[in-house]
Amino acid sequence: MDDVLIPLVVAACVAAILGILTWLGARVRRRGIGGEVMGPFEEMWHPAAL
C-alpha cells in the first residue's frame, strides 16, 4: 500500500501546485496586476524576457 501511496501523494502535490499557478495566472491577467504577483514565476520560466 505504501508503495502506491507515496507516488500518488507526490503526483497530487505537483498537480495542486500547477493548478494553483494556473488559477493565479488567470486571476492576475483579469485584474491586470501581473508584474507584482507573477513576475518571479515569469522570470523562472522565461529568463530572457527582460
Side-chain angles (χ1 to χ4, degrees):
M1 178 78 174
D2 288 338
D3 295 336
V4 175
L5 187 60
I6 293 172
L8 187 62
V9 168
V10 170
C13 288
V14 169
I17 290 170
L18 290 176
I20 289 170
L21 286 176
T22 302
W23 170 78
L24 184 61
R27 181 180 168 131
V28 162
R29 283 190 197 103
R30 276 195 310 266
R31 292 185 176 206
I33 57 172
E36 300 87 22
V37 177
M38 292 299 285
F41 299 109
E42 179 67 28
E43 184 66 25
M44 281 190 288
W45 294 110
H46 200 292
L50 297 177

